Amino acid sequence: MSQVFEGYERQYCELSANLTKKCNSATILDGEQKKQKVSEIKAGLDDAEVLIRKMDLEARSLPPNVKATLLAKLREYKSDLNNLKTEVKRITSGNANQAARDELLESGMADANMVSADQRQRLMMSTERLNHSSDRIRDSRKTMLETEDLGVSILQDLHQQRQSLLHAHDTLHGVDDNISRSKKILTTMSRRMSRNKWIIGTIIVVLVLAILLVLYFKLAH
């Protein structure tokens, strides 16, 4: 949630509670004291309207998922402000006699206090629920970022493994080439050895025949 909005929100809640207390005290005042108190309340209402407008502008400048949450909260605050304005009009509109004021103090103001307290309680509960929603959104975003980092890490590992496999393939290809060359060399050597055997065998046969001829001629003479 926007920290700026939260700052305006705290100011409004404090101002709303203060104005409610002033409305309660204004009902039992007379004459100039009552006029002064009403003047203070109206000035506070003007400040509250300014805070409402600031919160509205801040909420509308945020992303859609956050904006919807804050605008829902803002509607509660606008309703609270309208109730305060109605209360001020009620205080300033009538010239009630002392009996009416006594009755208001005994019954009506008690009900008004209960309603205002109940409304503030609902606002606080709504604020708490919205804060929990914002926390869940932040947690979801954190999880999404962690998942994205994990995906990037896995892709990097796969890329490294692919490079290793390509390098191993190149190495095996080189080994195959070396084996083929060695096989050719061994084949050539085998052929040369066979040819040399035939040559040596032929030479031995020739030498044996020569020896036999020499012996024949010697024995014949």
Side-chain angles (χ1 to χ4, degrees):
M1 185 181 296
S2 170
Q3 294 182 355
V4 176
F5 186 94
E6 290 179 345
Y8 293 149
E9 184 181 26
R10 285 193 297 269
Q11 294 179 39
Y12 177 81
C13 290
E14 293 172 359
L15 183 58
S16 176
N18 188 30
L19 289 174
T20 301
K21 292 179 181 178
K22 288 183 178 181
C23 288
N24 294 338
S25 62
T27 57
I28 60 176
L29 297 177
D30 292 318
E32 291 299 323
Q33 290 182 343
K34 184 174 183 178
K35 290 181 180 179
Q36 183 178 359
K37 183 64 69 175
V38 170
S39 178
E40 293 176 1
I41 293 172
K42 289 182 177 179
L45 290 175
D46 292 338
D47 294 337
E49 286 183 344
V50 171
L51 289 172
I52 289 291
R53 287 195 296 270
K54 288 181 178 180
M55 283 191 285
D56 186 76
L57 291 174
E58 178 64 18
R60 294 181 186 280
S61 66
L62 297 174
N65 57 337
V66 180
K67 178 173 68 177
T69 301
L70 296 184
L71 288 178
K73 182 186 294 187
L74 189 59
R75 284 193 291 271
E76 294 284 342
Y77 295 146
K78 288 180 179 179
S79 176
D80 178 68
L81 181 60
N82 289 331
N83 290 337
L84 288 173
K85 289 180 179 180
T86 302
E87 181 68 16
V88 173
K89 289 180 180 179
R90 189 189 62 78
I91 293 172
T92 58
S93 62
N95 292 320
N97 54 25
Q98 186 64 38
R101 288 197 298 269
D102 292 340
E103 184 180 358
L104 181 63
L105 288 173
E106 292 175 0
S107 60
M109 287 305 297
D111 294 337
N113 289 337
M114 183 176 63
V115 171
S116 298
D118 183 63
Q119 186 175 28
R120 283 196 298 272
Q121 182 66 24
R122 289 198 303 272
L123 288 173
M124 292 177 63
M125 292 175 64
S126 298
T127 301
E128 185 176 356
R129 286 195 298 268
L130 292 173
N131 288 334
H132 287 324
S133 298
S134 299
D135 292 338
R136 286 195 295 270
I137 291 172
R138 283 195 296 269
D139 292 339
S140 298
R141 185 173 182 272
K142 181 179 178 181
T143 302
M144 180 184 67
L145 292 175
E146 291 176 350
T147 303
E148 182 179 355
D149 292 339
L150 179 61
V152 171
S153 177
I154 292 174
L155 288 175
Q156 290 177 347
D157 292 339
L158 291 174
H159 178 71
Q160 292 177 356
Q161 292 176 6
R162 180 177 179 273
Q163 294 297 325
S164 299
L165 290 173
L166 290 175
H167 180 70
H169 179 268
D170 293 338
T171 302
L172 290 174
H173 184 70
V175 171
D176 289 339
D177 292 340
N178 292 331
I179 292 174
S180 297
R181 286 195 295 269
S182 300
K183 184 177 180 181
K184 290 179 180 179
I185 293 171
L186 290 173
T187 302
T188 303
M189 291 177 63
S190 177
R191 290 175 180 176
R192 289 180 180 177
M193 290 176 65
S194 296
R195 188 170 59 250
N196 290 337
K197 287 180 180 179
W198 282 105
I199 293 172
I200 293 171
T202 302
I203 293 172
I204 291 173
V205 170
V206 171
L207 289 175
V208 170
L209 291 175
I211 291 171
L212 291 174
L213 287 173
V214 170
L215 290 174
Y216 174 77
F217 285 114
K218 285 185 175 182
L219 292 175
H221 295 289

